[in-house]
Amino acid sequence: WDSVETFLLHLAQQVRYPDRITLIRGNHESRQIPQPDAPVSVCPQIFCVHGGLSPSIQTLDQIRTIDRKQEVPHDGPMCDLLWSDPEDPAGWGVSPRGAGYLFGSDVVAQFNAANEVSMICRAHQLVMEGYKWHFGETVLTVWSAPNYCYRYANEMLMRC
């Protein structure tokens, strides 16, 4: 599907099922980098985010207070939610991307317990298999971008 049709379908789903569908923002959704990203949250027990977690955020209520109607800042909680990635070492680490953080399984366990969610579902990282579980199935990366940067064709694309 083209990005306009995909967005309109998600928007219609949000209108029809306002308690079950939430549109979230990706790091490419700014005036500088137009991309067809429109990830969707569909279950209250699953925290859906484009990138990952932030050391500045411990609760979902803190996320709700972020003004999302702005350009993506170069640092801070909103930037972290869009750019952070899971990584094997425990705790927080410096991201090689130059934005966001690397976060470990202990960070995920603490966040999930504090917010009564069973898992985090995210995108933001190329996964050739189409999806990848992290930390004992507490974080799921889903990647199905067709022809990303005109050079990748991952498994999710092949199955469609």
Side-chain angles (χ1 to χ4, degrees):
W1 286 20
D2 293 325
S3 58
V4 172
E5 287 87 356
T6 300
F7 177 75
L8 290 175
L9 172 63
H10 292 321
L11 188 61
Q13 290 173 331
Q14 185 180 28
V15 169
R16 176 71 171 100
Y17 305 105
D19 297 336
R20 294 172 44 197
I21 303 291
T22 302
L23 297 181
I24 61 175
R25 182 176 180 171
N27 64 307
H28 296 289
E29 296 175 29
S30 65
R31 283 182 276 177
Q32 292 84 9
I33 308 173
Q35 293 285 333
D37 292 340
V40 179
S41 170
V42 294
C43 180
Q45 296 85 11
I46 300 173
F47 172 56
C48 295
V49 64
H50 180 78
L53 300 176
S54 171
S56 302
I57 295 175
Q58 288 75 44
T59 68
L60 295 175
D61 285 338
Q62 289 174 299
I63 294 171
R64 290 181 185 105
T65 66
I66 296 173
D67 177 15
R68 298 186 323 170
K69 297 176 186 89
Q70 61 174 309
E71 288 298 314
V72 179
H74 296 290
D75 57 16
M78 183 174 173
C79 175
D80 299 344
L81 293 171
L82 299 174
W83 286 95
S84 294
D85 298 306
E87 190 63 50
D88 284 329
W92 294 100
V94 176
S95 174
R97 295 179 186 271
Y101 289 87
L102 300 177
F103 56 93
S105 61
D106 58 333
V107 172
V108 172
Q110 184 177 7
F111 181 87
N112 287 0
N115 294 286
E116 299 178 353
V117 296
S118 58
M119 66 176 283
I120 298 169
C121 185
R122 61 182 298 275
H124 192 59
Q125 281 180 296
L126 174 65
V127 202
M128 291 309 291
E129 303 81 15
Y131 68 93
K132 181 178 179 181
W133 288 103
H134 310 268
F135 313 139
E137 299 188 359
T138 57
V139 177
L140 174 63
T141 297
V142 179
W143 181 276
S144 60
N147 199 21
Y148 181 68
C149 293
Y150 306 104
R151 58 184 172 193
Y152 299 108
N154 67 0
E155 289 292 322
M156 288 295 266
L157 175 61
M158 302 300 188
R159 292 182 196 153
C160 295

